[in-house]
Amino acid sequence: MATLVLLHPLTAALVNLDTRARVLHWWFIQITVANLVVIILMVLVFVAALLIPFRGPGSKR
Amino acid sequence: MTTAAEEDASRLETDDEWTVRLRHVALEKLPPEQLLPATQPAYVASWIYVFGVLTVSALVVIIASGAVLTIFGPSWWHTSTAGHFVNSIHIWSVEVFFFTMVVHLWGKFFMAAWRGRRRATWITGVVAVLAAVGAALTGYLSQQNFDSQWISTQAKDGINATGAGAFFNVLDFGQMLMWHIMLLPLIVSFIVAIHVLLVRIRGVVPPFAESSEGS
């Protein structure tokens, strides 16, 4: 447990999550920054999954 | 080679027994080599095919961490360091579950993965998403903090507008907790199991260029 305590500054969230959420508002669209970041990450991962070649065994059936 | 005992047993079996009929149907629809195949078609060698199994992996972590939380209870996960840790594993595995499920859904949508008599596979996937949203909502309502208080008071108006508020009361903590730890995990696990079995029965949808299956 002492190791966990020592590692705490390293393992703590990079962004302070213990505050009020920041909300973006444009016309009728209202979204928190956290949700927007997750959506952008999902799009990036989706595009990367399509473009990055898969270097697995590549077996055939 | 069959033993005398096995021959006697096979003579006694008739198709009148539902267990025998069920076994025959199961073996016909899903032979063991198809249920747990050693190889996959060449087009499956792409990162976009990884997100389905990542979603199932995250679900396993969710169920396992949820089981640990159930064993020790709220007074443990709210107050002890180990409890906080397992609680965090539970919420972050949910984040991974929804993240990978959405990427999986986008991939399958743009592949039109319902082609080739795979409608049931697609529909069970959609139902799994809806059930998982319910499981997540009741989980957020079970946090016992200001966040769950805020979500419940916001959600009640929406639920009441559908007419379901009469029997699904988001302000009833006991009911939400029971749905979250018993009913919805069973439903999600069952639908995901059916979904994976259908993928094994029908196979992974081929790319458009390699497919002549149409519609």
Side-chain angles (χ1 to χ4, degrees):
Chain A
M1 202 57 71
T3 316
L4 264 181
V5 173
L6 284 174
L7 282 173
H8 185 261
L10 297 174
T11 54
L14 296 172
V15 180
N16 183 10
L17 301 174
D18 199 20
T19 59
R20 288 175 66 185
R22 288 181 60 190
V23 179
L24 302 176
H25 195 186
W26 177 72
W27 197 21
F28 65 91
I29 297 169
Q30 188 171 309
I31 188 168
T32 61
V33 173
N35 279 341
L36 184 63
V37 166
V38 170
I39 291 168
I40 291 169
L41 281 175
M42 284 194 297
V43 173
L44 290 177
V45 168
F46 178 69
V47 173
L50 294 177
L51 297 181
I52 296 174
F54 187 83
R55 306 228 180 270
S59 53
K60 289 188 179 182
R61 183 163 65 180
Chain B
M1 184 184 287
T2 55
T3 64
E6 282 169 346
E7 281 177 12
D8 283 347
S10 65
R11 266 198 295 275
L12 288 170
E13 280 185 3
T14 67
D15 272 0
D16 293 339
E17 293 166 82
W18 69 268
T19 49
V20 176
R21 288 201 304 274
L22 181 64
R23 189 205 313 149
H24 288 163
V25 170
L27 283 172
E28 185 191 332
K29 294 267 184 199
L30 203 58
E33 62 274 13
Q34 196 175 330
L35 181 64
L36 295 168
T39 58
Q40 287 291 327
Y43 54 78
V44 175
S46 162
W47 285 110
I48 199 65
Y49 286 95
V50 172
F51 288 88
V53 78
L54 281 179
T55 309
V56 175
S57 308
L59 181 62
V60 170
V61 178
I62 292 169
I63 300 283
S65 57
V68 176
L69 293 174
T70 306
I71 290 168
F72 294 105
S75 58
W76 176 73
W77 80 61
H78 278 310
T79 56
S80 73
T81 312
H84 284 154
F85 179 73
V86 177
N87 200 14
S88 296
I89 292 281
H90 194 60
I91 176 67
W92 285 107
S93 52
V94 170
E95 299 285 341
V96 172
F97 175 80
F98 276 97
F99 191 105
T100 50
M101 186 165 62
V102 168
V103 177
H104 175 64
L105 189 156
W106 287 345
K108 295 301 159 187
F109 178 77
F110 288 112
M111 285 178 204
W114 49 82
R115 286 175 293 141
R117 300 179 64 224
R118 292 182 180 84
R119 283 189 210 94
T121 315
W122 173 261
I123 290 167
T124 49
V126 171
V127 177
V129 172
L130 295 176
V133 167
L137 171 68
T138 51
Y140 287 119
L141 294 174
S142 304
Q143 295 177 102
Q144 296 171 297
N145 57 16
F146 285 126
D147 192 32
S148 56
Q149 215 173 64
W150 170 259
I151 293 168
S152 62
T153 48
Q154 296 300 303
K156 75 173 169 45
D157 296 330
I159 302 284
N160 286 344
T162 67
F167 59 88
F168 184 80
N169 182 3
V170 290
L171 297 177
D172 183 345
F173 170 74
Q175 188 190 21
M176 293 304 105
L177 184 66
M178 298 309 248
W179 275 63
H180 181 69
I181 65 171
M182 176 68 198
L183 199 56
L184 288 165
L186 267 181
I187 293 171
V188 172
S189 304
F190 179 72
I191 297 169
V192 168
I194 299 287
H195 183 70
V196 172
L197 282 177
L198 283 169
V199 172
R200 295 270 51 92
I201 290 170
R202 300 277 184 231
V204 179
V205 71
F208 281 106
E210 297 194 16
S211 166
S212 57
E213 290 168 338
S215 71

